[in-house]
Every structure is written in structure tokens, then in C-alpha cells.
Amino acid sequence: MDSWLNNWPWWTQLALVALLLIFSAFFSIAETSMMAANRHRIRHLAHRGNKGAKNTLELVGKTEQLLSVILICNNVVNTIVPVLLTGIALHAFGNSGSVLSISTGVAAILIIIFCEITPKVIGATYPERIAMGASWIIKPLIVILKPAMWLINVFVTGLLKILRVDTAANKNSQMSPEELRSVVLESTHFIPNKHRSILVNLFNLETIQVDDVMTPRARMEVLDFSKPIEDVIHQLETCYHNKLPVCGEDTDKVIGILAVRKALSLLGDQNLEHHHFKELLSEPYFIPSGTPVLQQLQFFQENQERVGLVVDEYGVLQGLVTIEDILEELIGEFTTSLPDLSAKTKWLPDGTYLADGTASLRDLNRLLGLNLPTDGPKTLNGLLIETLEDIPDNNVSVKLDKVVMEIIQVDEQIIKTIRIYKPNV
């Protein structure tokens, strides 16, 4: 070593050490950036024709070869640097124990600062940009060092077999829905708030049933053909819906669905009778209670339906659900033929809100920013009766999940009006 170094001036020897430190830093930064790179973004850039992204995607798909070539090169350089620095120090200051200790310490500090910590921080900060650039150098090195990697991998594979480590156990691991949901929630810098909200709602649809989004039977507008024709015509002229369920003598049995637009085209006839409207009825589409919303959306598409009647296991009508109800769970309130209820659903200046007992808990949570439980009863009346286990009197107060509610009006078997107090955040 001394005879070789004596032939070079000191500044050339130090330049060689600096060059080796740069090589070591490059391999450290390449390793960190390759492992920290967002593979979804790299894959997207590769599909758009980015050559660096294609190289990076190919390299991260061969993790064993990638890590092998980086670790081989990095450790070889990190081994040579202390030897060169020690040789230079011994040649310049003489052969002594203190010189040997100081030169070794200086080499260790240089490697830790300039070849390990700093490059890894930089690589983790700009992973995709650095990985795509480094791939142009790492890819040829894999070809050049293939024989050495093969020999080393033979020993490594044998050692792993002895230790009974199964390297293929996690190769087919996929991201779970909850993990993907977390990725979406954390992507505040890349996805607009509205788009992120839609994606999160899409995950939530898997746990929502039609019972959660339907209009309950008590709040459904039903066209009753047992009433006089004048009442039927008046209801058609004043209704806000495009389609109405129709019942006959038995008000609990729906005999068909009437398209209001078609019915309105008959109103010019002075001799209208019930049978004229019955000819326009279409067969009702029934949905079993408990059907998942995401599955029902697919059923609507397959059956080319927009309105369905939810029935329980005994065939009793529970409510009505439309394709718009499901879409609003996904993208929020967007259109309705009813007056704008969401505009009226807001806190009063005194921090209270008067709610109807039949109000949906999901609607109240969404429009008032509450967190009332929705895994049981679907309406505010049902939640309060379940909590109190009795039909309460007026002026009874209840506190649920930091929300104070005061019962204002009770009518026979149902709580009619509740005052909700805005919770303190």
C-alpha cells in the first residue's frame, strides 16, 4: 500500500478517497430512493412512456438483485476508504498507534455523515426523482456484477434455508381495503378534498345497507287509488317526485309504480278515472332488507331500474330507495326534486337545531357534523326510544356521544320533535 501511494501526490490520494466517498453516497441514496419510491406513481409514469420510470419499475420488481448490487458496491467502497485513509495518514505522519486510531475515527465519521445519513435523508425526500435517475446506472451494474451476485446469492439462499426463512411469504401480499383507505386519507397534497371524499365514501359503501339510505315507510309519498279521483289528480299536480308508489284498498300493499310525467299528460281529459292511471303502472321492484348498497347499485344497473321498494323477511314494506339515494351517499347532495332540505338543515344562531323524530341519523350526521350511532335504529326517534327503553314524556333530555338532545313533543307512540344542542368541539 505504501509503495503504491508513494507514487501519487497527496492531493491525488485525497481526491481518490473523495471520489470513493461520492460513489458510496450514490449507492446509499440509490438504495433509499428505490425503496421509498411510490410504486403507483412510478407505474403511472412508466405507462406514460417515461424511460427512467420503466427502468425503476423493472428494478424494484427484482428486489433481491437490486439490493445485492447496491450492497456489494457500497460495502466494497466503504471497506476501501478506511484502508486508503489509514495508508495516507501513516505515510504522512509516521507509523504510530495514535495516527492509526485517529485515521480510523476520521474514516468512520466521513462514512457515517457523507455516505449514510445525509444521502439517505436526501433519497427519502426526493425518492421518485432520484430513483429514476439512478436506475440508468444501477441497471448496467446488475448485468456487470451478475456472476458475483450469483455466487453470493448461492451462499445467502443456503443460509436462509438453514434458518428456515421463507422469502416468498410476502411476495403476493396485497394492500387491504383499510390500508388503501388510509392511503387516500393521507393523500391531502395530491387529491382534491372533494375527490378524496368520494373515494372514502366508496370504501364506506361496502358497509352500508339499503336500510341506511332508504326513505322509511312513514315518510314515503304514496298515491292512494282508494281516494276520489279529484284527490288523486291534486296529489299528482302538487307532488315533487318523478315516480310514485301506488296502493289500492290495502294501503300496505303497493300495486305498481306510476311515472308522474306520463300521468300528467292525461290531465287534460275531463273524464279521467282511476283505471286510466292504472294502465300506466309498471311492476314494482322489490329489494330484500339488508342488501348491501354497493350490490344494489349493481342490481339497479343490471335490471335497468331506478326505484326499489325495501321489504323485510315477511314481505312487509319498509321503505323506498332510489339510485339517487345511493349516488348521494357517494358524492353528496347533488340534485333533488324536493325543496332544498340540506339548506334548512343547519344550526340556529343559538347553537340549537329542531329535528323531526323521523329524521335519518345518517342525514343528521352528514348535514350537522354529528357522530350519532347508525349501527342500530335508522331514525332519531328510534335511537332515543332504544336508548331510553321507553316512550318518554316531554322535556326529557338525553346525552349521546357528547350531543345533548331535548325531547320537545311526543305524539302517542312517536317522538315528534327534538331540540339538538351543538356539541362543544
Side-chain angles (χ1 to χ4, degrees):
M1 176 68 73
D2 287 346
S3 60
W4 178 71
L5 290 173
N6 287 336
N7 296 328
W8 291 29
W10 65 270
W11 55 268
T12 306
Q13 299 170 20
L14 291 178
L16 177 61
V17 173
L19 184 62
L20 290 174
L21 289 174
I22 293 173
F23 284 155
S24 178
F26 166 77
F27 291 122
S28 292
I29 199 173
E31 177 188 4
T32 304
S33 62
M34 289 285 182
M35 295 299 102
N38 187 320
R39 302 196 180 189
H40 301 290
R41 188 182 304 169
I42 294 294
R43 187 176 290 108
H44 170 70
L45 293 174
H47 289 329
R48 296 183 62 180
N50 188 303
K51 296 291 185 180
K54 289 181 179 179
N55 290 338
T56 304
L57 195 62
E58 182 181 347
L59 290 175
V60 296
K62 304 174 181 177
T63 308
E64 293 181 1
Q65 296 183 18
L66 173 65
L67 291 179
S68 295
V69 69
I70 290 178
L71 292 175
I72 288 173
C73 295
N74 201 21
N75 283 284
V76 168
V77 172
N78 288 345
T79 302
I80 294 175
V81 167
V83 175
L84 288 178
L85 279 178
T86 302
I88 294 171
L90 293 176
H91 178 72
F93 302 105
N95 189 358
S96 67
S98 59
V99 171
L100 183 62
S101 300
I102 294 173
S103 63
T104 303
V106 170
I109 292 174
L110 290 176
I111 291 174
I112 292 172
I113 295 177
F114 296 104
C115 301
E116 293 296 333
I117 298 177
T118 304
K120 291 184 185 300
V121 171
I122 296 174
T125 306
Y126 308 101
E128 292 82 15
R129 188 188 309 175
I130 295 175
M132 289 188 291
S135 64
W136 292 100
I137 299 175
I138 301 297
K139 191 173 181 181
L141 282 176
I142 290 179
V143 178
I144 296 172
L145 299 177
K146 202 166 187 178
M149 288 192 299
W150 176 84
L151 182 62
I152 293 174
N153 284 334
V154 168
F155 289 102
V156 172
T157 303
L159 181 60
L160 292 176
K161 287 183 178 179
I162 294 174
L163 298 176
R164 296 183 179 180
V165 177
D166 185 8
T167 58
N170 294 325
K171 284 187 176 180
N172 296 324
S173 60
Q174 298 179 350
M175 189 176 292
S176 67
E178 282 302 317
E179 292 171 337
L180 186 56
R181 187 175 186 273
S182 300
V183 170
V184 172
L185 289 173
E186 294 172 1
S187 59
T188 54
H189 300 293
F190 308 106
I191 303 178
N193 291 337
K194 183 63 177 178
H195 297 173
R196 188 170 65 254
S197 175
I198 292 174
L199 291 174
V200 172
N201 290 340
L202 182 60
F203 293 122
N204 293 339
L205 284 186
E206 295 184 350
T207 61
I208 298 176
Q209 300 176 349
V210 291
D211 307 64
D212 298 315
V213 301
M214 71 179 183
T215 301
R217 173 67 179 89
R219 297 174 59 189
M220 284 174 52
E221 183 177 0
V222 178
L223 192 62
D224 188 355
F225 274 3
S226 64
K227 294 182 179 180
I229 189 64
E230 293 79 11
D231 294 343
V232 172
I233 293 175
H234 178 71
Q235 184 175 354
L236 288 173
E237 291 175 337
T238 58
C239 77
Y240 291 102
H241 303 283
N242 293 324
K243 293 185 178 182
L244 286 177
V246 179
C247 65
E249 296 295 335
D250 186 354
T251 56
D252 292 328
K253 183 178 180 181
V254 176
I255 60 176
I257 303 294
L258 178 64
V260 176
R261 289 183 180 179
K262 292 182 180 180
L264 291 177
S265 65
L266 302 178
L267 296 186
D269 190 347
Q270 299 297 325
N271 300 316
L272 278 177
E273 297 294 339
H274 292 89
H275 66 85
H276 292 105
F277 294 115
K278 287 184 179 180
E279 294 174 355
L280 301 178
L281 295 182
S282 59
E283 289 292 328
Y285 174 63
F286 295 103
I287 302 170
S289 176
T291 302
V293 164
L294 202 58
Q295 184 178 349
Q296 185 55 47
L297 185 62
Q298 181 181 353
F299 289 161
F300 272 139
Q301 183 179 25
E302 292 175 353
N303 296 286
Q304 297 183 348
E305 296 283 353
R306 300 179 63 89
V307 178
L309 301 172
V310 181
V311 294
D312 63 11
E313 58 183 317
Y314 303 105
V316 178
L317 181 64
Q318 300 296 305
L320 178 144
V321 64
T322 67
I323 192 170
E324 286 81 6
D325 294 330
I326 299 177
L327 293 178
E328 286 183 354
E329 284 294 320
L330 181 61
I331 65 177
E333 299 284 342
F334 64 97
T335 182
T336 178
S337 55
L338 288 169
D340 189 2
L341 299 178
S342 62
K344 299 179 181 179
T345 309
K346 58 183 180 181
W347 296 107
L348 297 176
D350 62 352
T352 64
Y353 173 74
L354 286 177
D356 189 275
T358 60
S360 167
L361 293 174
R362 295 185 59 81
D363 291 342
L364 291 174
N365 286 342
R366 180 171 62 248
L367 298 174
L368 297 179
L370 303 177
N371 192 31
L372 298 173
T374 58
D375 53 351
K378 308 304 178 185
T379 64
L380 188 56
N381 169 69
L383 177 64
L384 291 174
I385 290 179
E386 181 185 74
T387 302
L388 298 173
E389 298 182 350
D390 190 12
I391 300 176
D393 297 325
N394 298 350
N395 302 323
V396 173
S397 296
V398 180
K399 186 175 183 180
L400 288 174
D401 193 45
K402 300 180 181 179
V403 180
V404 176
M405 292 176 282
E406 180 185 358
I407 298 172
I408 302 299
Q409 182 183 7
V410 178
D411 184 8
E412 296 180 353
Q413 297 179 348
I414 187 173
I415 301 174
K416 295 287 290 183
T417 309
I418 303 98
R419 178 180 285 114
I420 304 176
Y421 293 86
K422 188 174 183 179
N424 296 324
V425 180

